[in-house]
Amino acid sequence: MAQSQPVTHLAFIRASNGRSAELGARLRDLLVPSLQTPGCLSFNVQRSQADADLWLLTGSWCDQQAMSGYFASPTLDLFGELVQAQVVASLDLHTFGAG
């Protein structure tokens, strides 16, 4: 049986003009429920020092199954709401695992 490997996601999220503070507040609302998700090893929200509209959401998970479960969870319905409300201008998601 293959041993499970930790995985990480990085999401670069750009706020729509004038909506960065709102986006940041909503992203920070994800911290506690994300950290409480089974398999979550770490979860962070950061704002770019060079671009006030750019946010970075990072999470580390015990394995791919835990991360996939999180992505399918109701917690992430927030992103659909933010896109619909035009708070998010763009979302660029990357996932990484052990090489």
Side-chain angles (χ1 to χ4, degrees):
M1 177 181 277
Q3 187 176 11
S4 62
Q5 297 288 327
V7 293
T8 300
H9 77 266
L10 296 136
F12 295 91
I13 307 161
R14 178 165 299 283
S16 297
N17 287 338
R19 309 287 298 267
S20 190
E22 179 183 358
L23 176 60
R26 299 291 301 275
L27 292 177
R28 284 189 286 276
D29 288 345
L30 289 175
L31 283 172
V32 171
S34 298
L35 286 167
Q36 293 174 344
T37 300
C40 182
L41 303 174
S42 69
F43 196 86
N44 295 292
V45 175
Q46 296 174 287
R47 190 178 197 175
S48 171
Q49 293 181 338
D51 182 343
D53 288 336
L54 186 61
W55 292 84
L56 174 63
L57 200 61
T58 58
S60 293
W61 305 89
C62 66
D63 57 27
Q64 180 66 47
Q65 185 176 356
M67 185 175 73
S68 296
Y70 173 71
F71 285 151
S73 73
T75 302
L76 289 191
D77 290 348
L78 169 76
F79 282 107
E81 295 168 15
L82 293 173
V83 169
Q84 284 288 90
Q86 298 182 340
V87 175
V88 171
S90 67
L91 172 66
D92 188 14
L93 177 69
H94 300 273
T95 59
F96 298 87

Coordinates of all heavy atoms in Angstrom, one line a residue:
M1 N 0.8 -1.2 0.0 CA 0.0 0.0 0.0 C 0.9 1.2 0.0 O 1.8 1.3 0.8 CB -0.9 0.0 1.2 CG -1.8 1.2 1.3 SD -2.8 1.2 2.8 CE -4.2 0.2 2.2
A2 N 0.6 2.2 -0.8 CA 1.4 3.4 -0.9 C 1.1 4.3 0.3 O 0.0 4.4 0.8 CB 1.0 4.2 -2.2
Q3 N 2.2 4.9 0.8 CA 2.1 5.8 1.9 C 1.6 7.1 1.5 O 2.0 7.6 0.4 CB 3.5 6.0 2.5 CG 3.5 6.7 3.8 CD 4.9 6.8 4.4 OE1 5.9 6.4 3.8 NE2 4.9 7.3 5.7
S4 N 0.7 7.7 2.2 CA 0.1 9.0 1.8 C 1.1 10.1 2.1 O 2.0 10.0 3.0 CB -1.2 9.3 2.6 OG -0.9 9.4 4.0
Q5 N 1.1 11.1 1.2 CA 2.1 12.2 1.2 C 1.4 13.5 1.5 O 0.3 13.7 1.0 CB 2.8 12.3 -0.1 CG 3.6 11.1 -0.5 CD 4.9 11.0 0.4 OE1 5.5 12.0 0.8 NE2 5.3 9.8 0.7
P6 N 1.9 14.4 2.3 CA 1.3 15.7 2.5 C 1.3 16.5 1.2 O 2.1 16.3 0.3 CB 2.3 16.4 3.5 CG 3.1 15.3 4.1 CD 3.2 14.2 3.1
V7 N 0.2 17.3 1.1 CA 0.1 18.2 -0.1 C -0.2 19.6 0.4 O -0.7 19.8 1.5 CB -1.1 17.7 -1.0 CG1 -0.7 16.3 -1.7 CG2 -2.4 17.5 -0.3
T8 N 0.0 20.5 -0.5 CA -0.2 22.0 -0.2 C -0.9 22.6 -1.3 O -0.7 22.3 -2.5 CB 1.2 22.6 0.0 OG1 1.9 22.0 1.1 CG2 1.0 24.1 0.4
H9 N -1.8 23.6 -1.0 CA -2.4 24.4 -2.0 C -2.0 25.8 -1.8 O -1.8 26.3 -0.7 CB -3.9 24.2 -2.1 CG -4.6 25.0 -1.0 ND1 -5.0 24.4 0.2 CD2 -5.0 26.3 -1.0 CE1 -5.6 25.3 0.9 NE2 -5.6 26.4 0.3
L10 N -1.8 26.6 -2.9 CA -1.6 28.0 -2.9 C -2.6 28.6 -3.8 O -2.7 28.2 -5.0 CB -0.2 28.3 -3.4 CG 1.0 27.8 -2.6 CD1 2.0 27.2 -3.5 CD2 1.5 28.9 -1.8
A11 N -3.4 29.5 -3.3 CA -4.4 30.2 -4.1 C -4.1 31.7 -4.1 O -4.0 32.3 -3.0 CB -5.8 30.0 -3.6
F12 N -3.8 32.3 -5.3 CA -3.6 33.7 -5.4 C -4.9 34.3 -5.8 O -5.5 33.9 -6.9 CB -2.5 34.0 -6.5 CG -1.2 33.5 -6.1 CD1 -0.8 32.2 -6.5 CD2 -0.3 34.2 -5.4 CE1 0.5 31.7 -6.1 CE2 1.0 33.8 -5.0 CZ 1.4 32.5 -5.4
I13 N -5.4 35.2 -5.0 CA -6.8 35.7 -5.2 C -6.7 37.2 -5.3 O -6.2 37.9 -4.4 CB -7.7 35.4 -4.0 CG1 -7.7 33.8 -3.8 CG2 -9.1 35.8 -4.3 CD1 -8.1 33.4 -2.4
R14 N -7.1 37.7 -6.5 CA -7.1 39.2 -6.7 C -8.5 39.8 -6.4 O -9.5 39.3 -7.0 CB -6.7 39.5 -8.1 CG -6.7 41.0 -8.4 CD -5.9 41.3 -9.7 NE -4.5 41.0 -9.6 CZ -3.6 41.6 -8.9 NH1 -3.9 42.7 -8.3 NH2 -2.3 41.2 -9.0
A15 N -8.5 40.8 -5.6 CA -9.8 41.5 -5.3 C -10.1 42.4 -6.5 O -9.3 43.0 -7.2 CB -9.6 42.3 -4.0
S16 N -11.4 42.6 -6.7 CA -11.9 43.6 -7.6 C -11.6 45.0 -7.0 O -11.4 45.2 -5.8 CB -13.4 43.5 -7.8 OG -13.7 42.2 -8.3
N17 N -11.5 46.0 -7.9 CA -11.2 47.3 -7.5 C -12.0 47.8 -6.3 O -13.3 47.7 -6.4 CB -11.3 48.3 -8.7 CG -10.2 48.2 -9.7 OD1 -9.2 47.6 -9.4 ND2 -10.5 48.6 -10.9
G18 N -11.4 48.3 -5.3 CA -12.0 48.8 -4.1 C -12.6 47.8 -3.2 O -13.3 48.1 -2.2
R19 N -12.4 46.5 -3.4 CA -13.0 45.4 -2.6 C -12.0 44.6 -1.8 O -12.3 43.6 -1.2 CB -13.8 44.5 -3.5 CG -14.8 45.1 -4.5 CD -16.0 45.7 -3.9 NE -16.9 44.8 -3.2 CZ -18.0 44.1 -3.7 NH1 -18.2 44.2 -5.0 NH2 -18.7 43.4 -3.0
S20 N -10.7 45.0 -1.7 CA -9.7 44.2 -1.1 C -9.9 44.0 0.4 O -9.7 42.9 0.9 CB -8.3 44.9 -1.3 OG -7.3 44.0 -0.9
A21 N -10.3 45.1 1.1 CA -10.6 44.9 2.6 C -11.7 43.9 2.8 O -11.6 43.1 3.7 CB -10.9 46.3 3.2
E22 N -12.7 44.0 2.0 CA -13.9 43.1 2.1 C -13.4 41.6 1.9 O -13.8 40.7 2.6 CB -15.0 43.5 1.2 CG -16.2 42.6 1.2 CD -17.2 43.0 0.2 OE1 -17.1 44.0 -0.5 OE2 -18.2 42.2 0.1
L23 N -12.6 41.5 0.8 CA -12.1 40.2 0.5 C -11.3 39.6 1.6 O -11.4 38.5 2.0 CB -11.3 40.2 -0.8 CG -10.6 38.9 -1.2 CD1 -11.7 37.8 -1.4 CD2 -9.8 39.1 -2.5
G24 N -10.4 40.4 2.1 CA -9.5 40.0 3.2 C -10.3 39.5 4.4 O -10.0 38.5 5.0
A25 N -11.3 40.3 4.8 CA -12.2 39.9 5.9 C -12.9 38.6 5.7 O -12.9 37.7 6.6 CB -13.2 41.0 6.2
R26 N -13.4 38.4 4.5 CA -14.1 37.1 4.2 C -13.1 35.9 4.1 O -13.4 34.9 4.6 CB -14.8 37.2 2.8 CG -15.9 38.3 2.8 CD -17.1 38.0 3.6 NE -17.8 36.7 3.3 CZ -18.7 36.6 2.3 NH1 -19.1 37.6 1.6 NH2 -19.3 35.4 2.1
L27 N -11.9 36.2 3.6 CA -10.9 35.1 3.6 C -10.5 34.7 5.0 O -10.3 33.5 5.3 CB -9.7 35.5 2.8 CG -9.9 35.6 1.3 CD1 -8.6 36.1 0.6 CD2 -10.4 34.3 0.7
R28 N -10.3 35.7 5.9 CA -10.0 35.4 7.3 C -11.1 34.7 8.0 O -10.8 33.9 8.9 CB -9.6 36.7 8.0 CG -8.2 37.3 7.6 CD -7.8 38.4 8.5 NE -8.5 39.7 8.2 CZ -8.1 40.5 7.3 NH1 -7.1 40.3 6.5 NH2 -8.8 41.6 7.1
D29 N -12.3 34.8 7.5 CA -13.4 34.0 8.1 C -13.2 32.5 7.8 O -13.8 31.7 8.5 CB -14.8 34.4 7.5 CG -15.2 35.8 8.0 OD1 -14.7 36.3 9.0 OD2 -16.1 36.4 7.4
L30 N -12.4 32.2 6.8 CA -12.1 30.8 6.5 C -11.1 30.1 7.5 O -11.0 28.9 7.5 CB -11.5 30.6 5.1 CG -12.5 30.9 3.9 CD1 -11.7 30.8 2.6 CD2 -13.6 29.9 3.9
L31 N -10.3 30.9 8.2 CA -9.2 30.4 9.0 C -9.7 29.3 10.0 O -9.2 28.2 10.0 CB -8.5 31.5 9.8 CG -7.6 32.3 8.9 CD1 -7.0 33.5 9.7 CD2 -6.4 31.5 8.4
V32 N -10.6 29.6 10.9 CA -11.0 28.7 11.9 C -11.6 27.4 11.4 O -11.2 26.3 11.7 CB -11.9 29.4 13.0 CG1 -12.5 28.3 14.0 CG2 -11.1 30.4 13.8
P33 N -12.7 27.5 10.5 CA -13.3 26.3 10.0 C -12.3 25.5 9.2 O -12.3 24.2 9.2 CB -14.4 26.8 9.1 CG -14.3 28.2 8.9 CD -13.4 28.7 10.0
S34 N -11.3 26.1 8.5 CA -10.4 25.4 7.7 C -9.4 24.6 8.6 O -9.1 23.4 8.4 CB -9.6 26.3 6.8 OG -10.5 26.9 5.8
L35 N -8.9 25.3 9.6 CA -8.0 24.6 10.6 C -8.7 23.5 11.3 O -8.0 22.6 11.8 CB -7.5 25.7 11.6 CG -6.4 26.6 11.0 CD1 -6.2 27.8 11.9 CD2 -5.1 25.9 10.7
Q36 N -10.0 23.5 11.4 CA -10.7 22.5 12.1 C -11.1 21.3 11.2 O -11.6 20.3 11.7 CB -12.0 23.0 12.8 CG -11.7 24.0 13.9 CD -12.9 24.7 14.5 OE1 -14.0 24.7 13.8 NE2 -12.8 25.3 15.6
T37 N -10.8 21.4 9.9 CA -11.1 20.4 8.9 C -10.2 19.2 9.2 O -9.0 19.4 9.3 CB -10.9 20.9 7.5 OG1 -11.8 22.0 7.3 CG2 -11.2 19.9 6.5
P38 N -10.7 18.0 9.2 CA -9.9 16.8 9.3 C -8.8 16.8 8.3 O -9.0 17.0 7.1 CB -10.8 15.6 9.2 CG -12.2 16.2 9.5 CD -12.1 17.6 9.1
G39 N -7.5 16.5 8.7 CA -6.4 16.4 7.8 C -5.7 17.7 7.5 O -4.7 17.7 6.8
C40 N -6.2 18.9 8.0 CA -5.6 20.1 7.8 C -4.4 20.2 8.8 O -4.5 20.1 10.0 CB -6.5 21.3 8.1 SG -5.8 22.9 7.8
L41 N -3.2 20.5 8.2 CA -2.0 20.7 9.0 C -1.7 22.2 9.2 O -1.1 22.5 10.3 CB -0.8 20.1 8.2 CG -0.9 18.6 7.9 CD1 0.3 18.1 7.0 CD2 -1.0 17.7 9.2
S42 N -2.0 23.0 8.3 CA -1.9 24.5 8.5 C -2.7 25.2 7.5 O -3.1 24.6 6.4 CB -0.4 24.9 8.3 OG 0.0 24.8 7.0
F43 N -3.1 26.4 7.8 CA -3.9 27.2 6.9 C -3.6 28.7 7.2 O -3.5 29.1 8.3 CB -5.4 27.0 7.1 CG -6.3 27.4 6.0 CD1 -6.5 26.7 4.9 CD2 -6.8 28.7 6.1 CE1 -7.3 27.1 3.9 CE2 -7.6 29.2 5.1 CZ -7.9 28.4 4.0
N44 N -3.3 29.5 6.1 CA -2.9 30.9 6.3 C -3.5 31.8 5.2 O -3.7 31.4 4.1 CB -1.4 31.0 6.2 CG -0.7 30.3 7.3 OD1 -0.8 30.7 8.5 ND2 0.0 29.3 7.0
V45 N -3.7 33.0 5.6 CA -4.2 34.1 4.7 C -3.2 35.2 4.8 O -2.9 35.7 5.9 CB -5.6 34.6 5.1 CG1 -6.0 35.8 4.2 CG2 -6.6 33.5 5.0
Q46 N -2.7 35.7 3.7 CA -1.7 36.8 3.7 C -2.0 37.7 2.5 O -2.5 37.3 1.5 CB -0.3 36.2 3.4 CG 0.2 35.3 4.5 CD 1.5 34.7 4.1 OE1 1.6 33.8 3.3 NE2 2.6 35.2 4.8
R47 N -1.7 39.0 2.8 CA -1.9 40.1 1.8 C -0.5 40.5 1.2 O 0.4 40.6 2.0 CB -2.6 41.3 2.4 CG -3.0 42.3 1.5 CD -3.7 43.4 2.2 NE -4.5 44.3 1.4 CZ -5.2 45.3 1.8 NH1 -5.3 45.5 3.1 NH2 -5.9 46.0 0.9
S48 N -0.4 40.6 -0.1 CA 0.8 41.0 -0.7 C 1.3 42.4 -0.2 O 0.5 43.3 0.0 CB 0.6 41.1 -2.2 OG 1.8 41.7 -2.8
Q49 N 2.6 42.5 0.1 CA 3.1 43.8 0.5 C 3.3 44.7 -0.7 O 3.4 46.0 -0.5 CB 4.5 43.6 1.2 CG 4.3 42.8 2.5 CD 5.7 42.7 3.2 OE1 6.7 42.7 2.6 NE2 5.6 42.4 4.5
A50 N 3.4 44.2 -1.9 CA 3.6 45.0 -3.0 C 2.3 45.3 -3.8 O 2.3 46.3 -4.6 CB 4.6 44.3 -4.0
D51 N 1.2 44.6 -3.6 CA 0.0 44.7 -4.3 C -1.2 44.6 -3.4 O -1.5 43.4 -3.0 CB -0.1 43.7 -5.5 CG -1.3 43.8 -6.4 OD1 -2.3 44.5 -6.0 OD2 -1.2 43.2 -7.4
A52 N -1.8 45.6 -2.9 CA -2.8 45.6 -1.9 C -4.1 44.8 -2.3 O -4.9 44.4 -1.5 CB -3.2 47.0 -1.5
D53 N -4.2 44.5 -3.6 CA -5.4 43.8 -4.1 C -5.1 42.3 -4.2 O -6.0 41.5 -4.5 CB -5.9 44.3 -5.4 CG -6.5 45.7 -5.3 OD1 -7.1 46.0 -4.2 OD2 -6.5 46.4 -6.3
L54 N -3.9 41.8 -3.9 CA -3.5 40.4 -4.1 C -3.4 39.7 -2.7 O -2.7 40.2 -1.8 CB -2.2 40.3 -4.8 CG -1.8 38.9 -5.2 CD1 -2.8 38.2 -6.1 CD2 -0.4 39.0 -5.9
W55 N -4.1 38.6 -2.6 CA -4.1 37.8 -1.4 C -3.6 36.4 -1.7 O -3.8 35.9 -2.8 CB -5.6 37.7 -0.8 CG -6.0 39.0 -0.3 CD1 -6.6 40.1 -1.1 CD2 -6.0 39.5 1.0 NE1 -6.9 41.1 -0.2 CE2 -6.6 40.8 1.0 CE3 -5.5 39.0 2.2 CZ2 -6.7 41.6 2.2 CZ3 -5.7 39.7 3.4 CH2 -6.2 41.0 3.4
L56 N -3.0 35.8 -0.7 CA -2.5 34.4 -0.8 C -3.1 33.6 0.3 O -3.1 33.9 1.5 CB -1.0 34.4 -0.7 CG -0.3 33.0 -0.6 CD1 -0.6 32.3 -2.0 CD2 1.2 33.1 -0.3
L57 N -3.7 32.5 -0.2 CA -4.4 31.5 0.7 C -3.6 30.3 0.6 O -3.4 29.7 -0.5 CB -5.8 31.3 0.3 CG -6.8 30.7 1.2 CD1 -7.1 31.6 2.4 CD2 -8.1 30.6 0.4
T58 N -3.0 29.8 1.7 CA -2.2 28.6 1.7 C -2.7 27.6 2.7 O -3.1 27.9 3.8 CB -0.7 28.8 2.0 OG1 -0.6 29.4 3.3 CG2 -0.1 29.7 0.9
G59 N -2.7 26.3 2.3 CA -3.1 25.2 3.2 C -2.2 24.0 3.0 O -1.9 23.7 1.8
S60 N -1.9 23.3 4.1 CA -1.2 22.1 4.0 C -2.1 21.0 4.6 O -2.8 21.2 5.6 CB 0.1 22.1 4.8 OG 1.0 23.0 4.2
W61 N -2.1 19.8 3.9 CA -3.0 18.8 4.2 C -2.2 17.5 4.4 O -1.2 17.3 3.7 CB -4.0 18.6 3.1 CG -4.7 19.9 2.9 CD1 -4.3 20.9 2.1 CD2 -5.8 20.4 3.6 NE1 -5.2 22.0 2.2 CE2 -6.1 21.7 3.2 CE3 -6.7 19.9 4.6 CZ2 -7.2 22.5 3.6 CZ3 -7.7 20.6 5.1 CH2 -8.0 21.9 4.6
C62 N -2.7 16.5 5.2 CA -2.0 15.3 5.5 C -1.9 14.4 4.2 O -0.9 13.7 4.0 CB -2.6 14.5 6.6 SG -4.3 13.9 6.3
D63 N -2.9 14.6 3.3 CA -2.8 13.8 2.0 C -3.8 14.4 1.0 O -4.6 15.3 1.3 CB -3.1 12.3 2.2 CG -4.4 12.0 2.9 OD1 -5.4 12.8 2.8 OD2 -4.5 11.0 3.5
Q64 N -3.7 13.9 -0.2 CA -4.6 14.4 -1.3 C -6.1 14.3 -1.0 O -6.9 15.1 -1.3 CB -4.2 13.7 -2.6 CG -5.1 14.2 -3.8 CD -4.8 15.6 -4.2 OE1 -3.6 16.0 -4.3 NE2 -5.8 16.4 -4.4
Q65 N -6.4 13.2 -0.3 CA -7.8 12.9 0.0 C -8.4 14.0 0.9 O -9.5 14.4 0.8 CB -8.0 11.5 0.6 CG -9.4 11.1 0.8 CD -9.5 9.7 1.3 OE1 -8.5 9.0 1.4 NE2 -10.7 9.3 1.7
A66 N -7.6 14.4 1.9 CA -8.0 15.4 2.9 C -8.2 16.7 2.2 O -9.2 17.4 2.4 CB -7.0 15.5 4.0
M67 N -7.3 17.1 1.3 CA -7.4 18.4 0.6 C -8.6 18.3 -0.4 O -9.3 19.3 -0.4 CB -6.1 18.7 -0.2 CG -6.1 20.1 -0.9 SD -4.6 20.5 -1.7 CE -4.6 19.4 -3.1
S68 N -8.8 17.2 -1.1 CA -9.9 17.1 -2.0 C -11.2 17.2 -1.3 O -12.2 17.9 -1.7 CB -9.8 15.8 -2.8 OG -8.7 15.8 -3.6
G69 N -11.3 16.6 -0.1 CA -12.5 16.7 0.7 C -12.8 18.1 1.2 O -13.9 18.6 1.2
Y70 N -11.7 18.8 1.5 CA -11.9 20.2 1.9 C -12.4 21.1 0.7 O -13.3 21.9 0.9 CB -10.5 20.8 2.4 CG -10.6 22.3 2.6 CD1 -11.3 22.8 3.7 CD2 -9.9 23.2 1.8 CE1 -11.3 24.2 4.0 CE2 -9.9 24.5 2.0 CZ -10.6 25.0 3.1 OH -10.7 26.4 3.4
F71 N -11.8 20.9 -0.5 CA -12.2 21.6 -1.7 C -13.7 21.3 -2.0 O -14.4 22.2 -2.6 CB -11.4 21.3 -2.9 CG -10.0 22.0 -2.8 CD1 -8.9 21.4 -3.4 CD2 -9.8 23.2 -2.1 CE1 -7.7 22.0 -3.4 CE2 -8.6 23.8 -2.1 CZ -7.5 23.2 -2.7
A72 N -14.2 20.2 -1.6 CA -15.6 19.8 -1.9 C -16.5 20.2 -0.8 O -17.8 20.0 -0.9 CB -15.7 18.3 -2.2
S73 N -16.0 20.8 0.3 CA -16.8 21.0 1.5 C -17.6 22.3 1.3 O -17.3 23.2 0.5 CB -15.9 21.1 2.7 OG -15.2 22.3 2.7
P74 N -18.7 22.5 2.1 CA -19.5 23.7 2.1 C -18.7 24.9 2.5 O -19.1 26.0 2.1 CB -20.6 23.4 3.1 CG -20.7 21.9 3.2 CD -19.3 21.4 2.9
T75 N -17.6 24.7 3.2 CA -16.8 25.9 3.7 C -16.4 26.7 2.5 O -16.3 27.9 2.5 CB -15.5 25.4 4.4 OG1 -16.0 24.6 5.5 CG2 -14.7 26.5 4.9
L76 N -16.1 26.0 1.3 CA -15.6 26.8 0.2 C -16.7 27.3 -0.7 O -16.4 27.9 -1.8 CB -14.6 25.9 -0.6 CG -13.3 25.6 0.1 CD1 -12.3 25.0 -0.9 CD2 -12.7 26.9 0.6
D77 N -17.9 27.2 -0.3 CA -19.0 27.9 -1.0 C -18.8 29.4 -1.0 O -19.3 30.1 -1.9 CB -20.4 27.6 -0.4 CG -20.8 26.1 -0.6 OD1 -20.2 25.4 -1.5 OD2 -21.8 25.7 0.0
L78 N -18.0 29.9 -0.1 CA -17.7 31.3 0.0 C -17.1 31.8 -1.3 O -17.4 32.9 -1.7 CB -16.6 31.5 1.1 CG -16.0 32.9 1.2 CD1 -17.0 33.9 1.8 CD2 -14.7 32.8 2.0
F79 N -16.3 31.0 -2.0 CA -15.7 31.5 -3.2 C -16.7 31.8 -4.3 O -16.6 32.8 -5.0 CB -14.6 30.5 -3.7 CG -13.3 30.7 -3.0 CD1 -12.9 29.7 -2.1 CD2 -12.5 31.8 -3.1 CE1 -11.8 29.9 -1.3 CE2 -11.4 32.0 -2.4 CZ -11.0 31.0 -1.5
G80 N -17.7 30.9 -4.4 CA -18.8 31.1 -5.4 C -19.5 32.4 -5.0 O -19.8 33.2 -5.9
E81 N -19.8 32.6 -3.7 CA -20.4 33.9 -3.3 C -19.6 35.1 -3.7 O -20.2 36.1 -4.1 CB -20.7 33.8 -1.8 CG -21.6 32.7 -1.4 CD -21.6 32.5 0.2 OE1 -21.1 33.4 0.9 OE2 -22.1 31.5 0.6
L82 N -18.3 35.0 -3.4 CA -17.4 36.2 -3.7 C -17.3 36.5 -5.2 O -17.3 37.7 -5.6 CB -16.0 36.0 -3.1 CG -16.0 35.9 -1.5 CD1 -14.6 35.5 -1.1 CD2 -16.4 37.3 -0.9
V83 N -17.3 35.5 -6.0 CA -17.3 35.7 -7.4 C -18.6 36.3 -7.9 O -18.6 37.2 -8.7 CB -16.9 34.3 -8.2 CG1 -17.2 34.5 -9.7 CG2 -15.5 33.9 -7.9
Q84 N -19.7 35.7 -7.4 CA -21.0 36.2 -7.8 C -21.2 37.7 -7.4 O -21.8 38.5 -8.1 CB -22.1 35.4 -7.1 CG -22.4 34.1 -7.7 CD -23.0 34.2 -9.1 OE1 -22.4 34.3 -10.1 NE2 -24.3 34.2 -9.1
A85 N -20.7 38.1 -6.2 CA -20.8 39.4 -5.7 C -19.7 40.3 -6.3 O -19.6 41.5 -6.0 CB -20.7 39.5 -4.2
Q86 N -18.9 39.8 -7.2 CA -17.8 40.5 -7.9 C -16.8 41.1 -7.0 O -16.2 42.2 -7.2 CB -18.4 41.6 -8.9 CG -19.3 41.0 -9.9 CD -19.8 42.0 -10.9 OE1 -19.9 43.2 -10.6 NE2 -20.2 41.5 -12.1
V87 N -16.5 40.4 -5.9 CA -15.5 40.8 -4.9 C -14.1 40.3 -5.4 O -13.1 40.9 -5.2 CB -15.8 40.3 -3.5 CG1 -14.7 40.6 -2.5 CG2 -17.1 40.9 -3.0
V88 N -14.2 39.1 -6.1 CA -13.0 38.5 -6.6 C -12.9 38.8 -8.1 O -13.8 38.5 -8.9 CB -13.0 36.9 -6.4 CG1 -11.9 36.2 -7.1 CG2 -13.0 36.6 -4.9
A89 N -11.7 39.3 -8.5 CA -11.4 39.5 -9.9 C -10.8 38.3 -10.6 O -11.1 38.0 -11.7 CB -10.5 40.8 -10.1
S90 N -10.0 37.6 -9.8 CA -9.3 36.4 -10.4 C -8.9 35.5 -9.3 O -8.6 35.9 -8.1 CB -8.2 36.7 -11.3 OG -7.1 37.3 -10.5
L91 N -8.8 34.2 -9.6 CA -8.3 33.2 -8.7 C -7.4 32.2 -9.4 O -7.8 31.7 -10.5 CB -9.5 32.4 -8.1 CG -9.3 31.2 -7.3 CD1 -8.6 31.6 -6.0 CD2 -10.6 30.4 -7.0
D92 N -6.2 32.1 -8.9 CA -5.2 31.2 -9.5 C -4.8 30.2 -8.5 O -4.1 30.5 -7.5 CB -4.0 32.1 -10.0 CG -3.0 31.3 -10.8 OD1 -3.3 30.2 -11.3 OD2 -1.9 31.8 -11.0
L93 N -5.2 28.9 -8.6 CA -4.9 27.8 -7.7 C -3.8 26.9 -8.2 O -3.9 26.5 -9.3 CB -6.2 27.1 -7.4 CG -6.1 25.9 -6.5 CD1 -5.9 26.3 -5.0 CD2 -7.4 25.1 -6.5
H94 N -2.9 26.6 -7.2 CA -1.8 25.6 -7.5 C -1.8 24.6 -6.4 O -1.9 25.0 -5.2 CB -0.5 26.3 -7.7 CG -0.5 27.3 -8.8 ND1 -0.2 27.0 -10.1 CD2 -0.7 28.6 -8.7 CE1 -0.2 28.1 -10.8 NE2 -0.6 29.1 -10.0
T95 N -1.5 23.3 -6.7 CA -1.3 22.3 -5.7 C 0.0 21.7 -5.8 O 0.5 21.5 -7.0 CB -2.4 21.2 -5.7 OG1 -2.4 20.6 -7.0 CG2 -3.8 21.8 -5.4
F96 N 0.6 21.3 -4.7 CA 2.0 20.7 -4.7 C 2.0 19.6 -3.8 O 1.4 19.5 -2.7 CB 3.0 21.8 -4.2 CG 3.1 23.0 -5.1 CD1 2.2 24.1 -4.8 CD2 4.0 23.1 -6.1 CE1 2.3 25.2 -5.6 CE2 4.0 24.2 -6.9 CZ 3.2 25.3 -6.7
G97 N 2.8 18.6 -4.1 CA 3.1 17.4 -3.3 C 4.5 17.1 -3.3 O 5.3 17.8 -3.9
A98 N 4.9 16.0 -2.6 CA 6.3 15.6 -2.5 C 6.7 15.2 -3.9 O 6.0 14.5 -4.6 CB 6.4 14.5 -1.5
G99 N 7.9 15.6 -4.3 CA 8.5 15.3 -5.6 C 8.9 13.9 -5.6 O 9.1 13.1 -6.4

